Amino acid sequence: MAANEIDVFANEEKRTLDLGGHVGFDSLPDQLVSKSVAQGFCFNILCVGETGIGKSTLMNTLFNTTFENEEASHYESDVQLRPQTYDLQESNVNLKLTIVHTVGFGDQINKEESYKPILEYIDAQFERYLEEELKIRRSLFNCHDTRIHICLYFIAPTGHSLKSLDLVTMKKLDSKVNLIPVIAKADTVSKSELDKLKIKIMSELVSNGVQIYQFPTEDEAVAEINSSMNTHLPFAVVGSVDDVKVGNKMVKARLYPWGSVQVENENHCDFVKLREMLLRVNMEDLREQTHARHYELYRRCKLEEMGFKDTDPDSQSFSLQETYEAKRKEFLLDLQRKEEEMRQMFVNKVKETEAELKEKEKELHERFEQLKRMHQEEKRNLEEKRRELEEEMNAFNRRKVAAETLMGQALQGCSQPFKKDKDKKNGCFCERVLMLLNNNTDLSRYSRLITLMHYFHWT
């Protein structure tokens, strides 16, 4: 009954009462302004473009300062995002500015590897903010909000249309961040070609379903200027931090042999339009769109993954405790199922390993038996060869003893006197025979020498 009464009162038409005097709550906007100024603001810019296209120069020109930035090369193996945070002050307003550069973008052949790190970085900043929201003790006002508020996509004016890398990347980014395409280094293209290039780019974006950020027209104060600026997209910009003397004044410009291109001259480029729309008119809308549209989409998807859901006006409200318990039970059941699968997988793996080990053991045993048989066979052959060698050595020793005996007899016969005409000849021959016997072990030659010695001895 109480709930029905609340619904009835809520549906009743609200009444407007006239005040009898000044109360003071008309100062609430001033209070909000004072509080916001005291707290400060943050603004995060993501610069996506190829190396050397002029991202850092445009940021320096946009904020009329020089940011410290490391120069990148064309030899990066992958895309790296380098955020740099600066504290800026203008009048009494403090701004914490974060500029994120995509180092190495466009230098890879694989287009997926070019845009994927950018998407991961944007989601990581949303995840960081969501974690802070889900804490028991939150401090959203004190934490540094790193969510990307605006993405400036730099298009190279080197062709007559967008590259496939540009279309793929912008298509992936348009649902995650406020996207504004800009034509960099617009002074390299003539005025007529630049107008044709703008029309071609917008036509390709529309035909491929790429949704870029449109300046809001709901507020009457900025509706007219935003409507006109929406027709100038994409902005053709030129950046420069050099002061050049034009006439009697110093201006930001790029000096060429044929003349100069003034950065803040709207007849030369759209830099002034970009700065007005980005910083002076629509900065708060960019911050609001990031929170209300892109972050809310990410948050909704994450909470739906966690099991939370919205209730219709006609349906009953749900309990967070019950949802948490149901999700926890589901998680535990899923964890138990995965543990059982891992256990079964481990058992199967153990069985497979045991079967493989048994097979290896069987192969090793067969190999051992084969080597054992080979060893026994080689041992028998070795024993047989040893016996043959021993027999040959015994026969050799017997022949040697016989030869030494014959040699002794020959020497004894040579020592007897011979006839005078043969003494000299036989003596020399005996010496040669002894030398040959001492230096030769051939038994067949032994026998021939002994025969010759007997011949000379008995002649």
Side-chain angles (χ1 to χ4, degrees), residues 346-405:
F346 177 75
V347 171
N348 295 335
K349 196 68 177 178
V350 169
K351 290 182 179 179
E352 293 177 1
T353 306
E354 288 180 351
E356 292 178 359
L357 289 176
K358 288 181 180 179
E359 187 67 23
K360 294 292 184 181
E361 184 180 2
K362 183 178 178 181
E363 293 178 0
L364 289 174
H365 184 70
E366 293 177 355
R367 180 66 177 169
F368 173 74
E369 292 296 333
Q370 182 182 359
L371 292 175
K372 186 177 180 181
R373 290 192 297 270
M374 292 174 60
H375 174 71
Q376 292 176 353
E377 184 68 22
E378 291 179 356
K379 186 177 181 181
R380 286 194 297 269
N381 294 336
L382 186 61
E383 289 293 334
E384 184 177 354
K385 289 182 180 180
R386 187 177 63 82
R387 288 195 298 269
E388 291 177 357
L389 288 175
E390 288 180 353
E391 292 177 358
E392 290 179 2
M393 290 177 61
N394 294 333
F396 173 78
N397 290 330
R398 290 195 295 271
R399 288 194 293 270
K400 183 178 179 182
V401 171
E404 289 177 352
T405 303

Side-chain angles (χ1 to χ4, degrees), residues 222-364:
V222 295
E224 183 178 356
I225 185 173
N226 282 346
S227 297
S228 63
M229 289 302 169
N230 283 329
T231 61
H232 287 82
L233 292 174
F235 293 131
V237 297
V238 177
S240 176
V241 294
D242 298 329
D243 293 326
V244 177
K245 187 175 183 180
V246 177
N248 296 326
K249 61 179 181 179
M250 302 296 292
V251 295
K252 300 288 184 183
R254 299 184 70 88
L255 188 62
Y256 294 97
W258 46 263
S260 61
V261 176
Q262 301 177 28
V263 174
E264 296 181 347
N265 190 336
E266 296 190 30
N267 294 324
H268 292 181
C269 67
D270 297 332
F271 172 78
V272 175
K273 297 182 178 66
L274 175 64
R275 185 176 61 186
E276 291 291 310
M277 292 297 99
L278 198 64
L279 303 180
R280 189 180 69 85
V281 180
N282 298 301
M283 178 182 284
E284 181 57 30
D285 184 74
L286 290 169
R287 287 157 42 90
E288 183 180 351
Q289 286 292 325
T290 299
H291 181 81
R293 179 186 171 191
H294 302 293
Y295 171 70
E296 284 299 322
L297 177 61
Y298 177 85
R299 177 178 174 273
R300 185 185 67 187
C301 295
K302 277 294 182 179
L303 293 180
E304 287 177 352
E305 291 178 2
M306 297 171 61
F308 296 98
K309 59 183 179 179
D310 291 333
T311 58
D312 297 329
D314 299 333
S315 62
Q316 296 180 355
S317 61
F318 68 98
S319 172
L320 290 177
Q321 183 68 22
E322 294 178 357
T323 303
Y324 171 77
E325 291 294 336
K327 195 65 179 178
R328 182 174 181 274
K329 184 178 180 180
E330 180 183 353
F331 174 76
L332 292 177
L333 290 176
D334 185 62
L335 182 61
Q336 185 178 0
R337 180 181 57 81
K338 290 183 179 180
E339 288 181 353
E340 186 63 28
E341 291 178 357
M342 293 294 293
R343 188 180 296 107
Q344 187 64 32
M345 187 184 301
F346 177 75
V347 171
N348 295 335
K349 196 68 177 178
V350 169
K351 290 182 179 179
E352 293 177 1
T353 306
E354 288 180 351
E356 292 178 359
L357 289 176
K358 288 181 180 179
E359 187 67 23
K360 294 292 184 181
E361 184 180 2
K362 183 178 178 181
E363 293 178 0
L364 289 174

Side-chain angles (χ1 to χ4, degrees), residues 39 43 46-47 60 91 102 184 194 215 231 248 274 278 292 312 384 395 398 400 427 447:
Q39 183 179 352
F43 193 62
L46 172 63
C47 299
N60 294 338
S91 298
T102 54
L194 191 59
F215 301 116
T231 61
N248 296 326
L274 175 64
L278 198 64
D312 297 329
E384 184 177 354
R398 290 195 295 271
K400 183 178 179 182
S447 301

Side-chain angles (χ1 to χ4, degrees), residues 87-88 123 210 243 253:
D87 292 325
L88 306 180
D123 288 342
V210 179
D243 293 326

Side-chain angles (χ1 to χ4, degrees), residues 4 50 63 74 87 111 133 136 176 240 256 291 361:
N4 294 332
E50 300 176 359
F63 291 94
H74 290 274
D87 292 325
K111 295 178 177 57
E133 272 192 341
I136 297 177
K176 292 182 175 295
S240 176
Y256 294 97
H291 181 81
E361 184 180 2

Side-chain angles (χ1 to χ4, degrees), residues 119-185:
L119 300 179
E120 293 176 352
Y121 179 84
I122 296 174
D123 288 342
Q125 310 316 309
F126 286 154
E127 182 69 22
R128 178 180 176 183
Y129 193 85
L130 180 60
E131 290 178 355
E132 186 66 30
E133 272 192 341
L134 296 178
K135 287 182 179 179
I136 297 177
R137 301 180 63 180
R138 300 183 298 177
S139 57
L140 295 176
F141 295 102
N142 297 327
C143 74
H144 180 203
D145 185 6
T146 57
R147 295 174 296 176
I148 300 299
H149 299 126
I150 180 63
C151 173
L152 295 179
Y153 192 93
F154 290 74
I155 301 172
T158 55
H160 299 286
S161 62
L162 292 172
K163 300 179 182 178
S164 58
L165 174 61
D166 300 330
L167 287 173
V168 171
T169 305
M170 284 193 281
K171 182 62 178 177
K172 295 293 183 180
L173 291 176
D174 63 354
S175 62
K176 292 182 175 295
V177 69
N178 299 317
L179 181 64
I180 295 181
V182 295
I183 301 175
K185 297 184 177 180

Side-chain angles (χ1 to χ4, degrees), residues 24-37:
F25 59 80
D26 57 349
S27 64
L28 183 59
D30 298 332
Q31 298 176 31
L32 291 176
V33 170
S34 300
K35 183 178 180 180
S36 299
V37 170

